Amino acid sequence: MTLLRHELRQGRRALAVWTACIGMLIAVCILLYPDIKGEMEGMSRMFAAMGAFSAAFGMDRLNFGTLIGFYAVECGNILGLGGAFFAALTGISALAGEERNHTAEFLLTHPVSRSRVVMEKLLAVLVQVVALNLAVFALSAASVALIGESVPWRELSLLHLAHMLLQLETACVCFGLSSFLRTGGAGLGLGLAVGLYFLNLIANLTDSARFLRYITPFAYADGAELLTRGALDMALVLPGVAYTAAAVALAFRHYGRKDIH
Amino acid sequence: MLSIETHALTKRYGTARGIDGVNLAVEQGAFYGFIGPNGAGKSTTIRILLGLLRPTSGSARLLGLDISARREELLARVGYLPSESAFYPGLRVRDVLRLSAGLRGMDCRTEAASLCQVLQLDEGRKVNELSFGNRKKVGIVCAMQHRPELLVLDEPTSGLDPLMQRAFFELLESRHREGATIFLSSHVLSEIQRHCQRAAIIREGRIIAEGTVNELSHSSARRIVLRGEASLSALPGLRDMKQEGDSLSFLYSGSMDDLLRVLSLGHVKELSVSEPDLEEIFLHYYTEGGDGQ
C-alpha cells in the first residue's frame, strides 16, 4: 500500500482545497437560509413558473419554502458541479499524470505490477472522493444544526449518497480515459463533467431527450427526482454502475499493456 | 550465466524505426558498455529490458528470467538509472528514497545515507529545487540503495561534475568487485574504455559491433601522422584526412608495404603510426556503418 499512501499524500492539498471550497459554499448558503426563508414562498412560485428553465433545474417540482427543497437546488449546483470537477480532475490525472510528469519511468521500474499500480491509484482516487463527500456531508449537517433547523437526515443522506455515486462514476470514467492519455487531460476531464451536467439539463427539458438520463450520472443525482421518489432510481444507477465497471476494466487492460515512453 | 540476454529484439513505432534484431549477451559480473549516438536505440533497448516498452518481436531475459513473464521478480533485483531522472514535486530527497525503498518493500535508510554521503547529496532538499546533476544523484541512490545484482545505467554521468563522476565510478567499481553486473549505456567513449570489459555498439537500431573493448579498439586501421611531402592520391584505404601546415594525419587501412613504398617516393621528415583510439573507431562505426574491421 506504499503507492496508495504516496498518492493520498500527493493529493492531500488539492483535496483540502476542494473540500474547503465546496463545504464553505454550501455552509454559507445554509447560513443565509434563515434570512431568505420568508421570501422563498414567493420565489418558489416564481421559479416554478419559468417553464423550460424550471424543468431543466427541477424547480417545478421542488419547494423552495422548505430547507431541503432549497438545499436540493444548492446542493445540486455546488456539490454536483464542484464535486464532479474534483472527481474528474482526480480521476483523469491519476495515470496520465505519471507520464506528464515523467515519473512513470521511476514508478514502473520498481517491482510493482502494472495492475497493482492501477489498483492502488484507483483506490486513492476513490478514497479522496469519499473523504471529500464525508467532510462536506458533516459540514452541511453541522450548518443546518447551527441555524436551528432539525437536520433532515434521510433526505440529506440520500442527496449526498447520490452525489457521491455521481462523483465515483465520473472519477472512474475519467480514470479509464486516463490510461489512454500521455498528458494531463485536465481539460478533457472538466469538459466531460460539464458535458454530463448539461446532458441532464437537456434530458429534463424535453421528453425526446429522456434517454440521456441513462447516460449521465447527474440524472440519478437530480435533487427534485430524489426528493419526490424518496430513493435512488436504480434504473438510472445501474447503467452508471456498468459504465464505471467498464471504465475500470478498460484501465486495467490498457495500462497493463501500454508502452511508457 | 548471462545477466542480460536478448534474441532478435525488435521494436517499431508504427513505420518509424526503434531497434531491429538486437542480440545481446552480457555475462554475470560483467562491466558492459552499450555505445551509440543519440537516437541509436540505446534507451529503447533498455526500456524494453525493464518492461516499459513491449517488443514488437524477439525475446529478452534478465538474470535468467523472462522480462514479460517475471517482470516484478527481476525488477526487485535490478537497479535502473534513467538518462533523465524525474521525481514527484514537493517531495524531499529522503521521501523519494523512502518511496523507492517502500515500493521494493525494503528499508534502505542505512545504505541510502551512506550513498548520499559519498555523493554529497542533502536528503533534506526538495527534489523540484535540485539541479539536473543533483537530481541525477537522487536517481543514482534510488538505483543502488537496494544493492541490486544488475545495474542498468542510461547515460549516468550527464550532469555530474568530474569529481562526482569519479566518485560515482568508484561506487560502480566497488559494486562490480562485489559481484554486481553493470550495464552502462553511454556515448562518452572514455567512460566505456576506462571501465568496461566488453561493449556493444548500436547504430540506427542495430548492433554493428560487439566484443571486448580491446577488440573493438584493435582495428586494422592505423592513425598515420607525417610531416613532409608525399603524394598519396593513388593510395587506397585512406580516410579522415586532416592537413595542418606541413603535417598530414589520416586513418589508413591498406597495406603497410604500399604505404611505405609511396612515402619513400616523397620527402618525409617525421612519421608516426599508432592505433586509433576508440573515439576514432566509434566515429568510423557511426559515420560509415563500419563492420568493425
Side-chain angles (χ1 to χ4, degrees):
Chain A
M1 292 289 128
T2 304
L3 185 55
L4 172 64
R5 272 201 307 277
H6 166 70
E7 288 290 313
L8 293 177
R9 192 179 165 186
Q10 286 290 102
R12 68 189 193 280
R13 210 163 282 165
L15 174 65
V17 169
W18 279 94
T19 304
C21 287
I22 295 170
M24 293 300 174
L25 270 174
I26 291 180
V28 166
C29 285
I30 294 170
L31 296 176
L32 286 176
Y33 180 73
D35 293 335
I36 54 176
K37 191 176 176 182
E39 302 158 23
M40 278 301 166
E41 285 295 334
M43 282 177 75
S44 195
R45 276 194 298 277
M46 186 186 80
F47 281 140
M50 287 164 65
F53 185 77
S54 310
F57 290 93
M59 291 185 298
D60 51 340
R61 290 162 288 160
L62 284 172
N63 183 0
F64 268 37
T66 64
L67 171 73
I68 197 67
F70 169 79
Y71 187 83
V73 173
E74 293 308 328
C75 187
N77 287 317
I78 300 172
L79 181 58
L81 269 175
F85 284 170
F86 171 74
L89 285 174
T90 312
I92 205 100
S93 62
L95 293 170
E98 295 285 346
E99 283 173 85
R100 181 192 59 205
N101 299 327
H102 307 289
T103 46
E105 189 174 33
F106 170 83
L107 179 60
L108 297 175
T109 48
H110 283 83
V112 187
S113 69
R114 297 260 184 122
S115 53
R116 189 164 185 92
V117 167
V118 175
M119 190 188 76
E120 292 200 29
K121 278 184 168 281
L122 178 63
L123 265 177
V125 170
L126 301 183
V127 165
Q128 289 177 83
V129 169
V130 171
L132 177 135
N133 280 276
L134 288 177
V136 170
F137 179 72
L139 212 58
S140 293
S143 303
V144 172
L146 204 65
I147 60 169
E149 298 269 347
S150 65
V151 180
W153 288 111
R154 189 179 150 71
E155 292 85 350
L156 197 68
S157 306
L158 183 63
L159 284 170
H160 278 266
L161 173 68
H163 278 284
M164 190 171 74
L165 291 179
L166 176 165
Q167 291 164 32
L168 290 174
E169 182 184 333
T170 308
C172 287
V173 168
C174 287
F175 187 83
L177 289 173
S178 178
S179 69
F180 288 87
L181 303 176
R182 297 200 191 284
T183 52
L188 178 64
L190 292 179
L192 184 79
V194 172
L196 291 172
Y197 176 77
F198 278 106
L199 282 188
N200 186 49
L201 296 189
I202 294 166
N204 281 342
L205 279 176
T206 162
D207 279 347
S208 60
R210 292 294 277 178
F211 70 94
L212 293 175
R213 285 154 39 90
Y214 296 98
I215 295 173
T216 170
F218 282 90
Y220 60 71
D222 188 299
E225 192 78 26
L226 280 170
L227 293 183
T228 313
R229 182 184 278 270
L232 285 167
D233 184 349
M234 293 315 284
L236 299 178
V237 172
L238 287 176
V241 172
Y243 302 144
T244 305
V248 169
L250 204 62
F252 273 98
R253 184 180 153 72
H254 185 69
Y255 203 71
R257 308 160 62 89
K258 190 181 189 183
D259 276 352
I260 305 294
H261 295 280
Chain B
M1 187 188 140
L2 294 173
S3 280
I4 300 177
E5 190 181 359
T6 72
H7 291 290
L9 203 59
T10 299
K11 177 71 181 176
R12 291 195 189 92
Y13 302 105
T15 52
R17 171 189 58 75
I19 56 169
D20 191 6
V22 166
N23 291 309
L24 284 173
V26 178
E27 290 285 341
Q28 189 178 23
F31 206 132
Y32 196 94
F34 193 41
I35 324 168
N38 295 331
K42 300 191 300 289
S43 293
T44 298
T45 307
I46 288 174
R47 284 165 170 270
I48 294 174
L49 293 178
L50 296 166
L52 293 169
L53 299 176
R54 288 160 63 87
T56 308
S57 61
S59 64
R61 297 171 81 81
L62 288 192
L63 302 166
L65 304 171
D66 185 275
I67 54 161
S68 45
R70 314 275 293 273
R71 189 179 151 273
E72 291 84 58
E73 203 179 323
L74 67 87
L75 284 178
R77 297 160 59 192
V78 173
Y80 169 55
L81 174 65
S83 55
E84 284 183 35
S85 301
F87 305 104
Y88 301 95
L91 293 192
R92 295 186 188 281
V93 171
R94 90 166 52 82
D95 301 326
V96 172
L97 301 181
R98 281 186 196 164
L99 173 64
S100 178
L103 289 168
R104 297 182 179 283
M106 295 173 76
D107 181 351
C108 307
R109 276 177 288 185
T110 313
E111 188 65 26
S114 149
L115 289 165
C116 286
Q117 196 178 14
V118 173
L119 296 169
Q120 297 166 21
L121 179 63
D122 179 357
E123 288 190 64
R125 296 275 304 276
K126 286 202 169 177
V127 282
N128 44 315
E129 293 167 0
L130 295 178
S131 64
F132 180 70
N134 277 323
R135 279 209 309 278
K136 196 86 178 187
K137 292 180 190 174
V138 181
I140 292 170
V141 181
C142 285
M144 296 178 86
Q145 64 174 349
H146 59 292
R147 304 194 73 85
E149 293 165 52
L150 169 63
L151 269 163
V152 178
L153 312 160
D154 194 0
E155 303 284 355
T157 51
S158 56
L160 295 182
D161 63 50
L163 280 178
M164 222 18 87
Q165 288 186 19
R166 207 166 95 182
F168 169 64
F169 275 109
E170 278 169 11
L171 277 175
L172 287 188
E173 294 284 3
S174 148
R175 292 295 170 91
H176 181 234
R177 280 193 298 277
E178 290 166 18
T181 308
I182 318 278
F183 185 76
L184 173 70
S185 153
S186 177
H187 61 256
V188 182
L189 265 296
S190 54
E191 285 177 3
I192 304 285
Q193 211 159 14
R194 202 172 305 139
H195 302 283
C196 299
Q197 298 138 354
R198 292 185 75 88
I201 300 180
I202 186 167
R203 179 175 174 270
E204 292 180 0
R206 288 170 174 272
I207 302 289
I208 52 168
E210 201 277 341
T212 66
V213 170
N214 280 342
E215 279 167 6
L216 291 173
S217 311
H218 189 78
S219 154
S220 60
R222 293 290 178 269
R223 168 65 58 186
I224 311 288
V225 181
L226 62 88
R227 274 186 61 229
E229 288 168 12
S231 173
L232 302 168
S233 52
L235 199 62
L238 292 180
R239 63 174 185 273
D240 194 27
M241 193 170 299
K242 294 168 201 159
Q243 175 96 50
E244 272 181 44
D246 66 343
S247 170
L248 184 67
S249 163
F250 55 90
L251 279 175
Y252 178 65
S253 52
S255 148
M256 256 330 139
D257 283 345
D258 291 347
L259 176 68
L260 291 174
R261 207 167 295 126
V262 168
L263 293 181
S264 67
L265 299 174
H267 179 63
V268 176
K269 294 179 199 162
E270 273 180 40
L271 174 68
S272 81
V273 180
S274 58
E275 277 199 352
D277 63 20
L278 198 51
E279 189 85 37
E280 287 176 316
I281 294 165
F282 184 57
L283 285 173
H284 159 61
Y285 282 124
Y286 282 4
T287 53
E288 298 178 30
D291 57 5
Q293 297 308 304

